[in-house]
Amino acid sequence: MNIQFKKGALELCVLALLNKQDRYGYELVQKISDQIAISEGSVYPLLRRLKKEEYFTTYLQESQEGPSRKYYRLTDKGQDHLNELMEEWKHFSDGVNYILKEGVSDE
């Protein structure tokens, strides 16, 4: 898949996954990788930036499978940003789908 498509959608995917529950970094990578081919290295810089922008907070939690894990929790500011991105995504994807339909229509 085109790398620019992925970059644009990755932030939205991360925020959407954190909307329902707190998650740790590797878990986010795995959930996204199940649907979109991404590298682990593309998610962690994004997580650092989004934390710096105060879209989520972090906390450590003990793990039974090794060292403590850093979990990410969406903030109210992050929820607002997610809502904005979802609206932008809907508008953008509707426009693209309309153009694709026009461009490949048999009519």
PDB file of all heavy atoms in Angstrom, residues 2 4 9 18 42 64 72 75 78 100:
ATOM      1  N   ASN A   2       0.404   2.274  -0.629  1.00  0.00           N
ATOM      2  CA  ASN A   2       1.126   3.534  -0.718  1.00  0.00           C
ATOM      3  C   ASN A   2       1.457   4.045   0.686  1.00  0.00           C
ATOM      4  O   ASN A   2       0.590   4.146   1.550  1.00  0.00           O
ATOM      5  CB  ASN A   2       0.247   4.542  -1.473  1.00  0.00           C
ATOM      6  CG  ASN A   2       0.934   5.865  -1.690  1.00  0.00           C
ATOM      7  OD1 ASN A   2       1.442   6.471  -0.764  1.00  0.00           O
ATOM      8  ND2 ASN A   2       0.924   6.308  -2.926  1.00  0.00           N
ATOM      9  N   GLN A   4       2.100   6.980   1.777  1.00  0.00           N
ATOM     10  CA  GLN A   4       1.397   8.208   2.163  1.00  0.00           C
ATOM     11  C   GLN A   4      -0.014   7.907   2.672  1.00  0.00           C
ATOM     12  O   GLN A   4      -0.511   8.583   3.560  1.00  0.00           O
ATOM     13  CB  GLN A   4       1.363   9.195   0.992  1.00  0.00           C
ATOM     14  CG  GLN A   4       2.740   9.697   0.577  1.00  0.00           C
ATOM     15  CD  GLN A   4       3.518  10.332   1.719  1.00  0.00           C
ATOM     16  OE1 GLN A   4       2.963  11.078   2.515  1.00  0.00           O
ATOM     17  NE2 GLN A   4       4.801  10.023   1.818  1.00  0.00           N
ATOM     18  N   ALA A   9      -3.448   7.714   7.683  1.00  0.00           N
ATOM     19  CA  ALA A   9      -4.454   6.947   8.415  1.00  0.00           C
ATOM     20  C   ALA A   9      -3.944   6.437   9.766  1.00  0.00           C
ATOM     21  O   ALA A   9      -4.749   6.138  10.648  1.00  0.00           O
ATOM     22  CB  ALA A   9      -4.905   5.762   7.567  1.00  0.00           C
ATOM     23  N   LEU A  18      -7.492   3.588  20.909  1.00  0.00           N
ATOM     24  CA  LEU A  18      -7.420   4.020  22.304  1.00  0.00           C
ATOM     25  C   LEU A  18      -8.752   4.565  22.803  1.00  0.00           C
ATOM     26  O   LEU A  18      -8.924   4.779  24.007  1.00  0.00           O
ATOM     27  CB  LEU A  18      -6.327   5.078  22.478  1.00  0.00           C
ATOM     28  CG  LEU A  18      -4.901   4.572  22.313  1.00  0.00           C
ATOM     29  CD1 LEU A  18      -3.925   5.735  22.348  1.00  0.00           C
ATOM     30  CD2 LEU A  18      -4.571   3.543  23.374  1.00  0.00           C
ATOM     31  N   SER A  42       7.194   2.555  12.805  1.00  0.00           N
ATOM     32  CA  SER A  42       6.401   3.710  12.383  1.00  0.00           C
ATOM     33  C   SER A  42       5.421   4.160  13.455  1.00  0.00           C
ATOM     34  O   SER A  42       4.955   5.297  13.443  1.00  0.00           O
ATOM     35  CB  SER A  42       5.649   3.392  11.089  1.00  0.00           C
ATOM     36  OG  SER A  42       4.737   2.329  11.283  1.00  0.00           O
ATOM     37  N   GLN A  64       2.559  -9.969  33.570  1.00  0.00           N
ATOM     38  CA  GLN A  64       2.929 -11.318  33.995  1.00  0.00           C
ATOM     39  C   GLN A  64       3.864 -11.977  32.985  1.00  0.00           C
ATOM     40  O   GLN A  64       4.383 -13.044  33.225  1.00  0.00           O
ATOM     41  CB  GLN A  64       1.675 -12.163  34.183  1.00  0.00           C
ATOM     42  CG  GLN A  64       0.794 -11.667  35.297  1.00  0.00           C
ATOM     43  CD  GLN A  64      -0.447 -12.530  35.484  1.00  0.00           C
ATOM     44  OE1 GLN A  64      -0.582 -13.594  34.895  1.00  0.00           O
ATOM     45  NE2 GLN A  64      -1.357 -12.061  36.323  1.00  0.00           N
ATOM     46  N   TYR A  72      -1.226   3.532  27.130  1.00  0.00           N
ATOM     47  CA  TYR A  72      -1.648   4.837  26.633  1.00  0.00           C
ATOM     48  C   TYR A  72      -3.142   4.998  26.891  1.00  0.00           C
ATOM     49  O   TYR A  72      -3.919   4.081  26.628  1.00  0.00           O
ATOM     50  CB  TYR A  72      -1.357   4.950  25.129  1.00  0.00           C
ATOM     51  CG  TYR A  72       0.119   4.871  24.839  1.00  0.00           C
ATOM     52  CD1 TYR A  72       0.748   3.642  24.678  1.00  0.00           C
ATOM     53  CD2 TYR A  72       0.885   6.018  24.758  1.00  0.00           C
ATOM     54  CE1 TYR A  72       2.114   3.560  24.437  1.00  0.00           C
ATOM     55  CE2 TYR A  72       2.256   5.953  24.514  1.00  0.00           C
ATOM     56  CZ  TYR A  72       2.858   4.719  24.362  1.00  0.00           C
ATOM     57  OH  TYR A  72       4.205   4.648  24.127  1.00  0.00           O
ATOM     58  N   THR A  75      -6.970  11.242  26.292  1.00  0.00           N
ATOM     59  CA  THR A  75      -7.433  12.371  27.104  1.00  0.00           C
ATOM     60  C   THR A  75      -8.665  12.998  26.435  1.00  0.00           C
ATOM     61  O   THR A  75      -9.022  12.632  25.314  1.00  0.00           O
ATOM     62  CB  THR A  75      -6.339  13.446  27.210  1.00  0.00           C
ATOM     63  OG1 THR A  75      -6.049  13.933  25.891  1.00  0.00           O
ATOM     64  CG2 THR A  75      -5.068  12.911  27.865  1.00  0.00           C
ATOM     65  N   GLY A  78      -7.568  14.432  23.324  1.00  0.00           N
ATOM     66  CA  GLY A  78      -7.396  13.376  22.326  1.00  0.00           C
ATOM     67  C   GLY A  78      -8.725  12.938  21.737  1.00  0.00           C
ATOM     68  O   GLY A  78      -8.834  12.669  20.535  1.00  0.00           O
ATOM     69  N   LEU A 100     -13.714   8.086  -7.641  1.00  0.00           N
ATOM     70  CA  LEU A 100     -13.427   6.746  -8.156  1.00  0.00           C
ATOM     71  C   LEU A 100     -14.631   6.187  -8.905  1.00  0.00           C
ATOM     72  O   LEU A 100     -14.483   5.586  -9.973  1.00  0.00           O
ATOM     73  CB  LEU A 100     -13.034   5.804  -7.019  1.00  0.00           C
ATOM     74  CG  LEU A 100     -11.691   6.090  -6.348  1.00  0.00           C
ATOM     75  CD1 LEU A 100     -11.481   5.151  -5.173  1.00  0.00           C
ATOM     76  CD2 LEU A 100     -10.545   6.013  -7.336  1.00  0.00           C
TER      77      LEU A 100
END
